[in-house]
């Protein structure tokens, strides 16, 4: 029972010498209240509903305009035993499990491996689904960036970061920044709600950590009235995400290779500059050093900077993947998005092998037919060669006569 009051002790949230009563100098409408964070939950549910409508009605015509086409998928042959094993046990059986499945189904090892490969390919998300997800995030990041830039470009702390801490924590909360915070919180909450049904990507765990760290960072900074520095963090992150999602959209389309490459180069430059240069040298430097010109370190100071460090570690992780992509791009071998356009299971998948699949599906019967056909072709070829030799021999004899 005493845990909740202890959580809101002013020593945790505010600098030494500052109390909650000091914040009461601000009017109610200009002061952040922790209960305001509850607004993010219905907003997250609203984003999920709007996203469903967007992906159902707006994304398909946009995809058609860009020439997005789904891959031709082959359905796995009907096999109740293999289907049950695939759904309830494992999608990639080991060698020992393959032996037991061979006994259970009466199939060869190659047939079972082929069945699992086709079945895994069947579960891969379609190009239109991946395009719809990228388009949804693109439109949100673009809207959020434009709205955030409009609300910040005329504010003094946008240009001079020392203004983020001037008169802290007695800093009025503007209505535009309140909704900027709530919409960003609701959006990242909707990403967590949908993460189980979205395309599972190579950096799935890092994405979960990123979303959780972002939500905790926004929630904590709102309660502690770190609104000014928080708005700069959100704006900085949205700037490169716009280019990433737009590059994905054109990558899924047909005939947009040059546009996709140009957007990818722009994204790589903006990401590396904003996340590896501006974020640590301006944002983290502001929170670590410039803030101490106004107050002494306290518990909230350490929590806030630790969360920023977590984000920076993720930035370094993604930067490594992006640099690998840049290297492949310069070498002319760029085929996949190393960061987030490749499913986690795709690395383990093999390319479709039509010849092997046909052999596996038909078994010995198919090979028997192929053998007969081959024998027929060989005999026909032999006969034609004999007839040609005979005709040449006859013509030479006639010439001699």
């Amino acid at each position: 029972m005493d845990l909740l009051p202890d959580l809101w002790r002013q020593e945790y949230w505010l600098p030494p010498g500052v109390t909650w009563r000091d914040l009461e100098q601000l009017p109610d409408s200009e002061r952040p209240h922790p209960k305001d964070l509850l607004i993010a939950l219905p907003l997250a549910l609203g984003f999920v509903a709007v996203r469903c409508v967007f992906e159902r009605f707006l994304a398909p015509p946009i995809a058609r305009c860009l020439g997005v086409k789904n891959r031709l998928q082959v359905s796995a042959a009907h096999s109740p035993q293999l289907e049950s094993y695939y759904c309830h046990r494992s999608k990639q059986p080991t060698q020992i499990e393959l032996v037991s499945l061979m006994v259970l189904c009466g199939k060869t090892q190659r047939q079972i491996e082929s069945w699992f490969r086709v079945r895994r390919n069947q579960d891969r998300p379609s190009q239109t689904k991946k395009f719809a997800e990228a388009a949804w995030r693109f439109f949100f990041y673009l809207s959020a960036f434009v709205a955030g830039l409009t609300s910040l470009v005329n504010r003094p702390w946008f240009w001079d970061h020392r203004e983020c801490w001037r008169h802290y924590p007695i800093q009025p909360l503007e209505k535009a920044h309140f909704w900027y915070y709530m919409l960003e919180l609701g959006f990242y909450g909707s990403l967590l709600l949908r993460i189980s049904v979205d395309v599972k990507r190579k950096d799935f765990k890092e994405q979960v950590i990123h979303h959780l760290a972002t939500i905790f960072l926004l929630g904590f900074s709102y309660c502690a009235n770190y609104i000014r520095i928080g708005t700069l963090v959100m704006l900085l992150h949205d700037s490169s995400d716009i280019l990433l999602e737009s590059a994905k959209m054109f990558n899924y389309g047909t005939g947009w290779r040059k546009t996709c490459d140009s957007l990818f180069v722009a994204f790589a430059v903006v990401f590396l500059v904003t996340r590896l240069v501006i974020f640590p040298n301006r944002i983290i430097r502001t929170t670590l050093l410039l803030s101490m010109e106004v107050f002494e370190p306290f518990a909230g100071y350490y929590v806030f900077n630790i969360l920023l460090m977590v984000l920076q570690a993720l930035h370094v992780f993604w930067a490594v993947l992006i640099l690998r992509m840049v290297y492949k791009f310069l070498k002319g071998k760029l085929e996949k998005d190393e960061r987030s356009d490749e499913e986690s299971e795709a690395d383990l998948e093999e390319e479709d092998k039509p010849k092997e699949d046909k052999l596996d599906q038909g078994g010995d019967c198919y090979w028997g037919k192929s053998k007969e056909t081959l024998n027929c072709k060989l005999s026909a070829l032999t006969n034609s060669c004999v007839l040609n030799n005979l005709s040449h021999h006859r013509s030479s004899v006639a010439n001699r006569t």
Side-chain angles (χ1 to χ4, degrees):
M1 295 294 293
D2 297 333
L3 180 62
L4 192 58
D6 287 344
L7 181 64
W8 295 107
R9 290 177 59 179
Q10 58 196 23
E11 292 85 0
Y12 297 158
W13 297 85
L14 300 174
V18 180
T19 65
W20 291 116
R21 289 188 176 181
D22 295 330
L23 287 174
E24 294 177 1
Q25 300 178 26
L26 297 170
D28 252 4
S29 60
E30 299 180 0
R31 186 168 75 248
H33 299 278
K35 63 180 180 180
D36 295 339
L37 298 178
L38 296 175
I39 299 176
L41 183 58
L43 283 176
L45 298 175
F47 272 122
V48 171
V50 173
R51 177 178 173 177
C52 291
V53 175
F54 176 87
E55 293 181 351
R56 179 75 180 274
F57 298 103
L58 297 179
I62 300 175
R64 286 193 294 270
C65 291
L66 296 181
V68 179
K69 298 178 181 179
N70 291 326
R71 296 185 304 267
L72 182 61
Q73 291 186 343
V74 179
S75 299
H78 179 68
S79 178
Q81 297 92 341
L82 295 179
E83 183 67 29
S84 176
Y85 192 92
Y86 179 87
C87 296
H88 301 100
R89 296 287 299 278
S90 174
K91 296 181 179 180
Q92 292 178 335
T94 62
Q95 188 65 32
I96 299 176
E97 293 169 338
L98 284 173
V99 174
S100 61
L101 288 173
M102 289 166 58
V103 177
L104 179 64
C105 303
K107 295 179 180 291
T108 64
Q109 179 176 340
R110 175 173 289 187
Q111 288 175 330
I112 294 176
E113 290 175 346
S114 176
W115 188 94
F116 274 93
R117 182 172 62 250
V118 174
R119 185 65 180 83
R120 287 193 297 268
N121 290 337
Q122 192 175 330
D123 280 351
R124 285 188 182 183
S126 63
Q127 293 288 89
T128 53
K129 176 177 174 59
K130 293 191 287 187
F131 175 86
E133 290 186 10
W136 164 250
R137 289 192 294 266
F138 167 76
F139 282 111
F140 174 82
Y141 289 136
L142 179 61
S143 304
F145 179 78
V146 172
L149 185 62
T150 304
S151 65
L152 290 173
V153 69
N154 293 325
R155 302 301 183 271
W157 66 86
F158 182 78
W159 306 102
D160 184 4
H161 291 169
R162 280 185 168 83
E163 292 291 333
C164 292
W165 311 111
R166 194 178 302 278
H167 306 303
Y168 177 82
I170 315 301
Q171 297 174 340
L173 171 63
E174 300 181 24
K175 208 68 175 175
H177 300 152
F178 166 80
W179 284 111
Y180 189 25
Y181 253 79
M182 293 301 111
L183 290 174
E184 288 275 355
L185 269 172
F187 177 74
Y188 282 102
S190 70
L191 293 182
L192 280 180
L193 293 176
R194 291 265 311 189
I195 201 165
S196 60
V197 296
D198 284 345
V199 176
K200 192 172 183 180
R201 305 183 185 280
K202 187 177 181 179
D203 57 349
F204 174 78
K205 294 180 181 179
E206 290 78 12
Q207 285 287 345
V208 173
I209 295 173
H210 174 269
H211 297 340
L212 290 175
T214 302
I215 290 173
F216 281 120
L217 184 64
L218 292 177
F220 178 84
S221 62
Y222 182 83
C223 295
N225 203 19
Y226 285 177
I227 305 297
R228 294 184 176 181
I229 193 67
T231 52
L232 296 180
V233 173
M234 292 188 294
L235 186 70
L236 193 68
H237 281 70
D238 290 341
S239 61
S240 60
D241 289 336
I242 297 171
L243 296 170
L244 171 64
E245 303 304 334
S246 61
K248 288 183 183 179
M249 291 170 60
F250 285 102
N251 182 50
Y252 299 138
T254 304
W256 300 95
R257 176 51 53 191
K258 291 184 178 180
T259 304
C260 175
D261 292 344
S262 301
L263 289 171
F264 166 71
V265 172
F267 157 72
V269 172
V270 172
F271 183 93
L272 295 175
V273 171
T274 56
R275 307 292 179 94
L276 298 187
V277 179
I278 297 178
F279 188 79
N281 293 330
R282 303 285 295 187
I283 302 298
I284 295 182
R285 177 176 173 272
T286 299
T287 58
L288 275 177
L289 302 178
L290 297 185
S291 61
M292 294 179 64
E293 297 177 359
V294 180
F295 53 77
E296 297 178 3
F298 60 103
Y301 165 88
Y302 294 110
V303 172
F304 187 72
N305 283 285
I306 287 173
L307 291 173
L308 290 179
M309 294 295 185
V310 171
L311 286 182
Q312 183 59 26
L314 293 172
H315 296 165
V316 173
F317 169 79
W318 283 318
V320 172
L321 298 181
I322 291 171
L323 289 174
R324 287 172 54 188
M325 293 173 62
V326 171
Y327 175 76
K328 291 182 180 180
F329 179 79
L330 295 176
K331 298 287 287 186
K333 298 179 181 179
L334 181 61
E335 295 178 355
K336 297 179 181 178
D337 185 341
E338 294 281 353
R339 177 177 177 268
S340 57
D341 193 20
E342 181 179 357
E343 296 74 26
S344 60
E345 294 182 359
D347 293 337
L348 302 174
E349 299 291 341
E350 298 177 7
E351 294 295 330
D352 291 339
K353 300 177 182 179
K355 296 181 180 179
E356 291 186 7
D357 290 347
K358 290 178 181 178
L359 289 173
D360 293 337
Q361 291 173 4
D364 296 335
C365 179
Y366 181 86
W367 172 245
K369 292 180 180 179
S370 300
K371 193 174 182 181
E372 292 176 3
T373 306
L374 182 61
N375 289 336
C376 293
K377 290 183 177 180
L378 287 174
S379 61
L381 181 62
T382 304
N383 292 335
S384 62
C385 291
V386 172
L387 290 176
N388 289 334
N389 291 335
L390 182 60
S391 60
H392 286 304
H393 179 69
R394 287 180 177 177
S395 62
S396 62
V397 172
N399 290 335
R400 288 175 185 176
T401 304

